[in-house]
Amino acid sequence: MTRIDTSVDVMLRVNGSARRLRLDTRVTLLDALRDELDLTGTKKGCDQGACGACTVLLDGKRVLSCLTLTAQCDGRDVTTIEGLAPDGRLHPVQEAFIRHDGFQCGYCTTGQIVSAVALLQEGRAGSDEEIREFMSGNLCRCGAYPNIVAAIREIAGRGSE
Ligand code: FES
Ligand code: FES
């Protein structure tokens, strides 16, 4: 039986560096990041688009990497949690999560932080309600939600409500 080669060449710009990959057309961005590029900060929770643990930025916009095919990302910019602290200095949102105890087990945290960075850039942190609404795709089994909102609120510069 003849096997059909379904692999494809893809060039991604990941956290500012060009990365060339040859992989099957069905490989998700999440698996490419974790298994091919060893960027394991992006977590696999549900692998079905329901939890937000796999959130990364694609051309500056947040996407669920478990629902994104790597082949669709050819020539595009990907930013993962590792890219938010490239020189080892924490991103201000990471520092705020630490100050406000915005995590417990930490499994959802990288997705929460990447999502929060995008939310702030989108200008969607005008109120706690807005933060909750636009972070609603990022689930936390540990229920750290109030502290996550407090961390984002601090960076949005709104003080406490
Ligand atoms: S792992 Fe992607 S949404 Fe849950
Ligand atoms: S800190 Fe445990 S799932 Fe969010």
Side-chain angles (χ1 to χ4, degrees):
M1 195 171 82
T2 316
R3 295 197 69 176
I4 299 169
D5 182 7
T6 55
S7 53
V8 66
D9 291 311
V10 182
M11 201 285 287
L12 307 175
R13 203 163 173 78
V14 182
N15 300 330
S17 301
R19 308 297 297 263
R20 290 180 194 284
L21 296 170
R22 182 164 183 80
L23 31 71
D24 191 276
T25 50
R26 294 161 293 187
V27 173
T28 64
L29 180 58
L30 175 59
D31 287 342
L33 291 170
R34 291 181 56 85
D35 301 339
E36 305 291 331
L37 300 177
D38 208 22
L39 292 168
T40 53
T42 305
K43 301 301 180 203
K44 184 181 280 191
C46 63
D47 208 19
Q48 296 181 352
C51 74
C54 65
T55 305
V56 299
L57 303 181
L58 185 59
D59 293 336
K61 302 229 163 23
R62 45 189 168 160
V63 296
L64 298 173
S65 59
C66 72
L67 293 187
T68 305
L69 292 175
T70 312
Q72 295 173 292
C73 303
D74 188 40
R76 301 177 73 182
D77 277 302
V78 179
T79 306
T80 67
I81 188 75
E82 291 89 347
L84 295 184
D87 54 3
R89 286 193 52 202
L90 293 182
H91 186 282
V93 173
Q94 291 177 303
E95 290 177 339
F97 267 62
I98 292 171
R99 271 196 300 279
H100 290 274
D101 270 339
F103 52 90
Q104 288 180 36
C105 78
Y107 202 83
C108 72
T109 309
T110 55
Q112 301 277 3
I113 288 172
V114 172
S115 207
V117 167
L119 168 127
L120 287 155
Q121 283 165 357
E122 292 160 14
R124 306 242 192 231
S127 66
D128 285 9
E129 229 168 51
E130 198 177 29
I131 293 171
R132 277 193 287 271
E133 162 109 25
F134 287 97
M135 289 294 290
S136 62
N138 291 83
L139 305 185
C140 175
R141 288 178 305 184
C142 300
Y145 298 115
N147 298 2
I148 291 170
V149 170
I152 297 171
R153 181 201 301 137
E154 184 204 313
I155 298 300
R158 293 188 298 101
S160 58
E161 289 181 355

